[in-house]
Amino acid sequence: MKRPDVFVCLDSKNKPALCGAFGIKQSSLTYESYWEDIILQVYKAEWWLNPKPQNNREKQVSNSRAAFLDSLYYEK
């Protein structure tokens, strides 16, 4: 079982922008391919690989950085 330590919401409101940002065809992104298409790319991103901050407030932000993707790519 895959237990994601990171979660990015995938729905009709963010799928077009997420696919564009990750270079994925919308028609090929499914819930079954979500792990390989989105999460594994997040794990390889420079902003994900940066060292964890020492400051407690910055740690909280860093631990929630994947949630930022949904807010960034969500379209009304």
Side-chain angles (χ1 to χ4, degrees):
M1 178 177 165
K2 295 176 183 167
R3 184 188 150 261
D5 292 326
V6 59
F7 177 77
V8 178
C9 179
L10 176 62
D11 61 23
S12 63
K13 298 291 186 179
N14 69 2
K15 188 174 181 179
L18 270 174
C19 286
F22 284 86
I24 304 164
K25 285 184 172 182
Q26 281 191 58
S27 60
S28 70
L29 180 61
T30 65
Y31 293 107
E32 290 79 23
S33 69
Y34 165 85
W35 185 262
E36 289 81 18
D37 291 341
I38 301 292
I39 302 303
L40 292 183
Q41 286 194 57
V42 167
Y43 284 154
K44 294 176 188 175
E46 183 178 336
W47 58 269
W48 185 265
L49 296 172
N50 285 339
K52 295 233 179 207
Q54 298 304 309
N55 174 292
N56 283 335
R57 183 175 298 246
E58 290 177 5
K59 276 184 194 177
Q60 288 177 319
V61 172
S62 179
N63 289 337
S64 302
R65 63 194 182 266
F68 178 68
L69 291 174
D70 188 43
S71 67
L72 184 64
Y73 296 116
Y74 184 86
E75 297 177 10
K76 293 182 181 184

